[in-house]
Amino acid sequence: MSDDFTPRKDRAASWFRTLRDQIVTAFEALEDSHDTGPLVDAAPGRFELSDTKRTAEDGSDAGGGLMSVMRDGRVFEKVGVNVSEVYGQLGPAAQKAMAARGVPGMDDDPSFWASGISLVAHMQNPHCPAVHMNTRMFWTPHAWWFGGGSDLNPCIEYTDDTAHFHDQQRLHLDPHGADHYPRLKAWADEYFYIPHRQRARGVGGIFMDDQNSGDWEADFALTQDIGRAFLPAFVPLIEARRIQPWTVSDKDTQLIHRGLYAEYNLVYDRGTKFGLASGHDPDAVLMSLPPMAKWI
């Protein structure tokens, strides 16, 4: 791939940072506006920020990012919104994995660059669904692609909430082609399935990987709208459910469901595997894990 991708890398990384800023602002606003219902007397949560660094095997700089985590808010029990921009040489295991996925040139030049945003929210109120979202761009000297999506993970499902979440995905994807939403929904249903439990981890959403239509601008625009769909899909659900009282039994149901989430992320999730294999900050990689979970 001979053309200079630097301006496109910069645009993608800048967009992921912008989306991060929008989400953090919206989530802190939810904390501030929570004036009715459980935990209303608690202090509103705030994100704690920390830089993450990645170092190559020879000690040289290999990128990093910004980890934003809120703990023990009155709406969010734990939520992380991370952005990263990393680069360097893929190790042998990662090279093999990329080659198996059809990425050319891994034997000749294992250089890579990747940037993205990753979000996981675990809520105080069991009636509020947990949620995951990420979008990313990956580049090698021989290939590039986008990936990501978002999926809803309620422990107590409300069909209206599920419908709203999916409707917002469709609304944002349809301008890019009517085939995108059904294709990415089906992909999410397959990807977020837990084989050893023989069930999905939530109620689905959208997911894509290796997105390269040959038109970088079109694929970048699609990726941006996957990100733009997130807040209107998720925030209204929290505004409606955070006021509901919950019982000890409801909390128990939530903790058991979180066990499913932890199992999936540690056993199957590609992003977790890549982050740990590529030497990224383990605290940032494992940010997705719930603060408390339960197995029976």
Side-chain angles (χ1 to χ4, degrees):
M1 186 173 295
S2 59
D3 56 332
D4 182 12
F5 248 73
T6 300
R8 281 169 277 192
K9 292 177 186 176
D10 291 344
R11 285 175 59 197
S14 177
W15 160 248
F16 298 135
R17 290 191 297 270
T18 296
L19 182 59
R20 174 260 169 212
D21 294 346
Q22 293 171 353
I23 292 170
V24 164
T25 298
F27 282 5
E28 289 189 344
L30 281 172
E31 288 284 324
D32 290 338
S33 64
H34 184 54
D35 57 9
T36 304
L39 301 180
V40 68
D41 293 330
R46 284 294 178 268
F47 281 93
E48 297 178 0
L49 310 183
S50 57
D51 293 324
T52 60
K53 299 294 183 182
R54 182 175 172 272
T55 304
E57 290 185 2
D58 62 3
S60 62
D61 173 58
L66 179 65
M67 182 166 61
S68 310
V69 181
M70 182 195 301
R71 297 179 177 87
D72 300 320
R74 48 191 186 181
V75 177
F76 296 92
E77 187 171 351
K78 179 187 176 187
V79 53
V81 189
N82 294 352
V83 288
S84 62
E85 184 175 1
V86 297
Y87 41 81
Q89 304 285 312
L90 291 170
Q95 290 180 47
K96 184 177 180 180
M98 291 292 176
R101 290 168 60 187
V103 179
M106 284 290 100
D107 292 336
D108 299 328
D109 186 349
S111 301
F112 83 99
W113 173 96
S115 182
I117 177 172
S118 179
L119 175 156
V120 177
H122 299 288
M123 314 306 293
Q124 292 280 17
N125 193 322
H127 297 285
C128 292
V131 73
H132 157 261
M133 186 276 293
N134 79 81
T135 56
R136 59 191 177 274
M137 176 187 161
F138 202 98
W139 172 92
T140 76
H142 306 282
W144 58 264
W145 64 89
F146 290 95
S150 61
D151 65 296
L152 199 67
N153 297 270
C155 67
I156 302 170
E157 183 181 355
Y158 293 93
T159 55
D160 288 348
D161 291 2
T162 301
H164 172 84
F165 190 82
H166 281 273
D167 286 346
Q168 286 298 315
Q169 312 295 340
R170 185 193 301 274
L171 179 67
H172 283 78
L173 292 186
D174 276 356
H176 301 275
D179 64 314
H180 281 303
Y181 170 75
R183 178 173 66 90
L184 299 191
K185 178 186 181 300
W187 202 337
D189 290 342
E190 178 182 356
Y191 184 73
F192 296 113
Y193 185 78
I194 306 174
H196 66 270
R197 296 293 186 183
Q198 298 184 346
R199 59 159 293 175
R201 88 172 179 188
V203 296
I206 53 175
F207 178 78
M208 68 179 186
D209 210 350
D210 305 328
Q211 176 65 32
N212 181 336
S213 67
D215 185 337
W216 187 90
E217 292 290 349
D219 291 344
F220 182 40
L222 173 64
T223 302
Q224 287 176 297
D225 275 341
I226 289 174
R228 291 188 183 103
F230 174 71
L231 286 175
F234 181 64
V235 168
L237 309 183
I238 304 309
E239 290 175 330
R241 301 295 173 193
R242 63 183 172 175
I243 65 174
Q244 292 182 230
W246 74 74
T247 66
V248 172
S249 177
D250 293 334
K251 199 66 178 178
D252 199 53
T253 297
Q254 182 190 54
L255 295 177
I256 293 169
H257 190 268
R258 284 178 177 176
L260 288 173
Y261 202 94
E263 288 177 16
Y264 177 87
N265 278 33
L266 292 173
V267 176
Y268 300 110
D269 186 73
R270 282 186 188 175
T272 301
K273 290 180 178 180
F274 177 80
L276 295 175
S278 61
H280 199 56
D281 187 319
D283 289 330
V285 175
L286 298 176
M287 170 273 297
S288 61
L289 295 180
M292 295 180 65
K294 183 175 182 178
W295 285 264
I296 56 173

